[in-house]
């Protein structure tokens, strides 16, 4: 069973929760915008459903509601940011803005982040570059839930990559994807709906294929993009590893199996190799390569031609970003569906802070 809520309602409720956690007005407004943008774009696993997780991390003193986010190293085109254990929803926009400032000055900007937390959907941060005629990139490492190809040990996170590229008349190209076959949040949704997972998403603790969405609770693992070696899981493994290295090894965050878990009831690794979670952001000024208007005209041609490619029967050819953009338009007009289990979570959060949901 689903309940329908307006974007405004979910945004206001989330804002109030972050205020009660001790965030400033400015930070609470930004964090709520970033978080609920996931629900608006149809990525329900990373939106309001995550709110109770942030609250529990804050209660466990693993999130600092008043962080001193600062640059700890920089060159004209690069920087490392220390998030001071703040909400990733706040730390990430700071770092992306810094990357864009550097790109504005010297053509490109690259920022790696340590000592942060879960930052919402990667696409939100990459898309911030679009209005400045820049190409945006965002990625993050995450809780170790993913077994490398031929491994039974969980070593990597779902480690998403997002790239946003501006166009002129056409909607922007926005690719935002996990480097696993499916994100853990999708398993959580299946658990709440009491449904099975498709084969190729997860394996059991011995490395056998499984369709049990609860498999991670008994030692199983998510699978890299591709699912198995025959379908290219080694490529997904490589993509996830690249994200981990750029986000964490480069910044001084925890990497691989040392990355802190999102759930508060799991302990931190006893022998940390860095600080918090890591992110990586890039901004490239289009006119550092060619005139922006000329490039965006060519992007229109690229997008139009790919969208017009001959489809298979009963389907239409999509451009990365189309489904999320269409979903955002629909949900702004018709509201956002929230499943009963998440509504229950929100009611418990509301009771904790004496709010209404």
């Amino acid at each position: 069973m689903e309940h329908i809520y307006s974007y405004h309602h979910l945004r206001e409720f989330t804002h109030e929760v972050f205020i009660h956690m001790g965030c400033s007005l400015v930070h609470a407004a930004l964090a709520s915008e970033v978080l609920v943008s996931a629900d608006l774009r149809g990525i329900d696993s990373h939106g309001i459903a995550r709110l109770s997780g942030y609250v529990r991390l804050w209660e466990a003193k693993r999130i600092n509601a008043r962080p001193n986010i600062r640059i700890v190293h920089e060159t004209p085109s690069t920087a490392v940011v220390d998030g001071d254990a703040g909400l990733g929803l706040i730390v990430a926009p700071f770092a992306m803005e810094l990357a864009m400032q550097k790109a504005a000055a010297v053509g490109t900007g690259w920022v790696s982040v340590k000592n942060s937390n879960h930052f919402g959907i990667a696409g939100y941060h990459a898309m911030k570059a679009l209005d400045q005629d820049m190409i945006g990139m965002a990625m993050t490492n995450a809780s170790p839930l993913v077994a490398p190809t031929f491994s039974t040990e969980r070593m990597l996170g779902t480690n998403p990559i997002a790239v946003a590229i501006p166009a002129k008349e056409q909607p922007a190209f926005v690719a935002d994807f996990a480097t696993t076959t499916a994100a853990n949040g999708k398993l959580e949704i299946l658990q709440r709906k009491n449904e099975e997972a498709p084969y190729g998403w997860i394996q059991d603790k011995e490395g056998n294929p499984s369709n049990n969405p609860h498999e991670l609770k008994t030692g199983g693992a998510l699978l890299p993009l591709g699912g198995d070696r025959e379908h290219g899981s080694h490529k997904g493994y490589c993509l996830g590893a690249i994200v981990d290295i750029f986000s964490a090894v480069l910044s001084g965050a925890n990497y691989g199996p040392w990355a802190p878990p999102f759930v508060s009831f799991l302990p931190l690794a006893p022998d940390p190799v860095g600080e918090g979670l890591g992110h990586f952001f890039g901004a490239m000024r289009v006119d550092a390569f060619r005139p922006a208007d000329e490039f965006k005209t060519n992007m229109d041609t690229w997008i139009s031609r790919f969208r017009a490619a001959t489809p298979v029967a009963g389907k239409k050819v999509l451009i990365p970003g189309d489904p999320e953009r269409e979903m955002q338009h629909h949900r702004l007009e018709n509201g956002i569906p929230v499943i009963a289990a998440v509504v229950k979570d929100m009611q418990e959060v509301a009771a904790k802070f004496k709010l209404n949901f």
Side-chain angles (χ1 to χ4, degrees):
M1 182 179 176
E2 294 179 334
H3 301 259
I4 305 297
Y5 296 90
S6 70
Y7 167 73
H8 176 75
H9 176 81
L10 294 182
R11 176 88 185 271
E12 283 298 307
F13 175 72
T14 305
H15 178 268
E16 287 301 310
V17 169
F18 287 132
I19 289 290
H20 279 72
M21 285 170 57
C23 296
S24 69
L25 288 172
V26 171
H27 281 184
L30 177 57
S32 60
E33 177 186 327
V34 177
L35 188 66
V36 183
S37 72
D39 297 291
L40 202 56
R41 291 177 65 78
I43 310 173
D44 298 336
S45 57
H46 282 57
I48 194 83
R50 290 277 181 180
L51 183 58
S52 60
Y54 290 109
V55 172
R56 286 190 288 269
L57 286 174
W58 169 72
E59 290 175 327
K61 302 188 185 309
R62 283 175 46 192
I63 284 181
N64 178 6
R66 295 273 180 168
N68 175 26
I69 305 168
R70 63 196 186 279
I71 300 166
V72 294
H73 179 78
E74 67 178 323
T75 73
S77 63
T78 67
V80 174
V81 165
D82 185 327
D84 194 25
L87 284 164
L89 306 167
I90 299 302
V91 178
F94 176 96
M96 188 65 204
E97 181 62 34
L98 180 59
M100 292 188 291
Q101 290 172 6
K102 290 184 174 294
V106 298
T108 67
W110 306 96
V111 178
S112 198
V113 177
K114 66 176 180 176
N115 203 6
S116 187
N117 284 283
H118 191 276
F119 75 1
I121 55 171
Y124 175 92
H125 309 297
M127 289 171 65
K128 299 302 287 184
L130 295 173
D131 291 340
Q132 298 188 33
D133 281 350
M134 295 181 186
I135 295 170
M137 297 176 60
M139 56 188 78
T140 183
N141 73 339
S143 310
L145 299 172
V146 183
T149 302
F150 299 141
S151 171
T152 59
E153 189 175 356
R154 304 194 301 211
M155 299 291 288
L156 290 169
T158 53
N159 294 10
I161 299 171
V163 179
I165 304 173
K168 191 173 183 180
E169 303 298 332
Q170 290 286 342
F173 174 108
V174 182
D176 182 3
F177 57 96
T179 53
T180 48
T181 307
N184 183 46
K186 291 188 176 180
L187 286 184
E188 292 171 347
I189 289 172
L190 291 178
Q191 292 167 17
R192 288 166 173 149
K193 292 182 175 180
N194 198 30
E195 295 177 359
E196 292 183 338
Y199 281 103
W201 283 21
I202 45 179
Q203 65 182 27
D204 66 20
K205 62 183 179 181
E206 281 84 31
N208 302 308
S210 174
N211 65 352
N212 178 4
H214 297 273
E215 202 68 71
L216 299 185
K217 300 173 184 176
T218 55
L222 291 171
L223 293 170
L225 186 61
D228 56 37
R229 180 65 170 78
E230 289 69 27
H231 294 91
S233 68
H234 57 294
K235 299 177 184 178
Y237 167 33
C238 287
L239 285 171
I242 289 167
V243 172
D244 196 42
I245 293 165
F246 280 25
S247 299
V249 181
L250 198 58
S251 68
N254 288 292
Y255 46 82
W258 291 278
F262 180 74
V263 291
S264 60
F265 59 82
L266 289 178
L268 297 172
D271 55 344
V273 291
E275 297 177 85
L277 278 184
H279 317 311
F280 186 79
F281 303 94
M284 296 183 285
R285 212 176 67 217
V286 169
D287 66 4
F289 297 87
R290 63 186 296 199
D293 194 65
E294 183 179 289
F295 169 83
K296 291 194 294 182
T297 297
N298 281 177
M299 276 302 300
D300 279 356
T301 302
W302 190 100
I303 290 168
S304 298
R305 180 63 187 91
F306 273 71
R307 190 172 277 128
T310 304
V312 298
K315 301 290 184 180
K316 67 175 182 178
V317 180
L318 298 171
I319 302 300
D322 280 353
E324 295 87 352
R325 177 177 49 80
E326 292 168 6
M327 182 65 76
Q328 179 167 324
H329 177 76
H330 174 78
R331 288 187 169 184
L332 278 174
E333 286 194 352
N334 301 288
I336 296 170
V338 181
I339 63 174
V342 174
V343 172
K344 184 175 181 292
D345 276 353
M346 294 307 98
Q347 289 169 342
E348 291 173 357
V349 170
K352 187 186 300 287
F353 295 119
K354 296 181 171 57
L355 299 171
N356 293 315
F357 184 77

